[in-house]
Amino acid sequence: MSLIVQKFGGTSVADVEKIKAAARKAIRAQHQGHRVVMVVSAMGKNTDVLLELAGDIGDDMPAREMDMLLSTGEQVSVALVAMAIHSLGAKAISLTGGQIGMKTDNSFSKARIQSISTERIERLLDEGNIVVAAGFQGIDDDLNITTLGRGGSDTTAVALAAVLGADACEIYTDVDGVYTTDPRKLPEARRVEVVSYDEMLELASLGAGVMHSRSIEFAKKFGVPIHVRSSFSDTEGTMIVAESESITQPVSGAAMTADEARVTVLGVPDVPGKSQQIFSAIAKRKVAIDMVVQNIGQSGRADISFTVPKGELKATIAAIDSVIDKVGATGHTHDDQVSKVSVVGSNMALQTGVASRMFRALSDAGVNIQMITTSEIKISALVAKEQSAAALRAVHEAFQLHKRPSDAKSWHQIKAERGKADVDTLVNRLQADALEALTLTGISLTQDQARVTLHGVPDKPGIAADMFEMIGCAGIFVDMIVQGYDGEDGLTSVSFTVKEKDLDASLKVANEIQSRHGMRDVIGADGIAKITVSGIGLRSHTHVATLLFDRLAQDSINVEMINTSELQVNAVIDAKKADLALKGLEKTFADSLL
Ligand code: ADP
Ligand code: ASP
Ligand code: MG
């Protein structure tokens, strides 16, 4: 008998009528012959209301008590949903996180799932119940109640689907699927019928709030197909599976995090290990940093900039303050009026001109790019918050995301194909003892790389667009791009990597750009290599970058450039040290490598 997990978000259980509608959906599925597990969120905006209550008592409430408080929202809804099912004549039983044996670590407000015991759920299903499980919550080893982080009921649902070996995981929400960008921010956004795990993981981590990004880690690791659909209509929705909608379109979605903060640590001594001390202090507080850019100044000191979610700014600054003297940095600055706009696409790495298209669109919209980072399947630009809506619209338009690609796969095709093929799972669910543990799929080297750096670039729209359009016209394939503050007022620096054989041609373009726009200097370096750590959920597992920096610092290897995504962490290093780096990292990450 097949088993399905149905998750209902806050809006889908916002009042008694909606709770009854959700109950009817589950009963219908049971009548169709499925065993049904429901995962339910707090009613409506109840979690926000609870947060406000705590805020009325004061700031910085004890984390344990916050989780105790927030978990009550879900406890209310599971009981009501179970009652609704009873009132409609079917059998149901509600269970808290603790009662489903959802064991987590003890990091309150962002706890990670360690294990789930399935016996009780399976027994209750065998007895003919619809099991109604509370989303978002778990218990730690000391039986403290923990929560998984905002939006975490998705993760409860997919995790349950994974351990129960469910045939499907349906996410019922207030939109009828995954769109090319948030349809509330951009009405022209298009619903996609299919999106890949990799794309959704990255989109969710970059601001597409429709799915909790950690739920996609589970889905990918355990091969759980996710079906996102509306609670209020019968539209077919979106399948999140291994394959993408199209194999030709370079970009499949855009996302924005409106509330970001840029932090710059100034005057960090340019010695291996210094940046590691800063990142490790931040990672200890479980803050995921993004868009890391280091600029080596002439004085042998570097300025290190990165972004964090604005809500984590305070914790980040506290972390920096705790190590700044030890590191010997001269100070730090921040800007909390910035937003991150990103485009994501699995086919991006195979095509040239994707970055320049994004930069040109932003420049044409009059949007200045403050920072840039790229990775194999995403490009992010940091912009002023007041320009963020215009920026999102411009990139969505530039990649014609409102139009269905001609080779787009349909929902039906995916469903039909899935029926036949065995689902690939990266991790055998029975072998997994720490469900959300870091999963690495490989560590690799790319040799024969070169780097071009432009210092003292005027901070005005259009330069990045010019630069990468000309590089594209010269037929040069650019891999990593980073742009960030140069330490001098209003100036930025841009670095990018190309194949070693393309260095001279790239420098020619860079020199031309220098004479056109005026900038301090252009530097080229060959003999560099890129080391790549690949896996799942690498940015949200905040210790990955720390371990990487730590290992490289111990071997006195300087990191010239770095980029991170949920799927890869890449570091650009001296090619002569590449083998040493590879061996060191293989040792460091041995336990997490599949
Ligand atoms: P739930 O309470 O059901 O979990 P959420 O509010 O967490 O619902 O997620 C649904 C919301 O996600 C939508 O209302 C929409 O505004 C937002 N959203 C953000 N990005 C996207 C996207 N790419 N596609 C669809 N919805 C998105
Ligand atoms: N109720 C929690 C929240 O609002 C969890 C969830 O809805 O996924 O964040
Ligand atoms: Mg949600």
Side-chain angles (χ1 to χ4, degrees), residues 202 260 321 346 482:
E202 209 51 53
E260 285 282 297
D321 283 336
S346 284
V482 302

Side-chain angles (χ1 to χ4, degrees), residues 7 9-11 172-175 177-179 181-184 208-210:
K7 180 255 170 179
T11 350
Y172 287 95
T173 182
D174 60 358
V175 269
V178 176
Y179 280 66
T181 197
D182 187 343
R184 287 182 216 285
V210 61

Side-chain angles (χ1 to χ4, degrees), residues 94-105:
S94 65
L95 297 174
T96 64
Q99 289 170 331
I100 55 170
M102 172 75 70
K103 280 294 235 356
T104 71
D105 64 19

Side-chain angles (χ1 to χ4, degrees), residues 173-199:
T173 182
D174 60 358
V175 269
D176 56 5
V178 176
Y179 280 66
T180 49
T181 197
D182 187 343
R184 287 182 216 285
K185 291 190 184 129
L186 211 63
E188 60 264 41
R190 174 178 62 88
R191 182 171 60 84
V192 297
E193 294 189 30
V194 184
V195 63
S196 71
Y197 292 137
D198 289 353
E199 290 165 335

Side-chain angles (χ1 to χ4, degrees), residues 407-515:
D407 68 335
K409 281 212 170 170
S410 75
W411 187 91
H412 287 288
Q413 247 170 306
I414 292 292
K415 277 248 160 176
E417 285 168 16
R418 294 201 72 78
K420 284 181 248 135
D422 274 344
V423 182
D424 279 340
T425 51
L426 276 170
V427 180
N428 181 331
R429 71 189 170 100
L430 300 173
Q431 284 167 357
D433 50 358
L435 289 170
E436 277 203 87
L438 175 65
T439 305
L440 297 184
T441 49
I443 302 176
S444 62
L445 275 179
T446 316
Q447 294 278 12
D448 301 324
Q449 300 289 296
R451 171 174 58 84
V452 176
T453 300
L454 293 85
H455 283 295
V457 180
D459 195 11
K460 62 176 197 217
I463 299 183
D466 274 7
M467 174 80 220
F468 293 103
E469 272 171 10
M470 282 174 66
I471 290 272
C473 285
I476 299 166
F477 192 83
V478 176
D479 183 12
M480 282 166 73
I481 303 174
V482 302
Q483 178 196 321
Y485 282 90
D486 213 8
E488 290 173 44
D489 280 345
L491 297 180
T492 69
S493 80
V494 179
S495 293
F496 57 93
T497 59
V498 292
K499 292 206 178 80
E500 209 160 47
K501 68 172 178 49
D502 289 332
L503 177 59
D504 289 342
S506 306
L507 281 171
K508 220 172 119 202
V509 175
N511 285 321
E512 226 174 295
I513 292 285
Q514 181 185 20
S515 53

Side-chain angles (χ1 to χ4, degrees), residues 5 31 76 135 174 186 209 246 259 298 335 373 378 403 454 531 541 576 589:
V5 174
H31 285 166
V76 170
D174 60 358
L186 211 63
S246 148
D259 297 307
Q298 283 127 331
D335 179 355
T373 52
K378 71 118 205 276
K403 288 199 186 132
L454 293 85
I531 188 151
H541 281 89
K576 290 194 285 297
F589 289 115

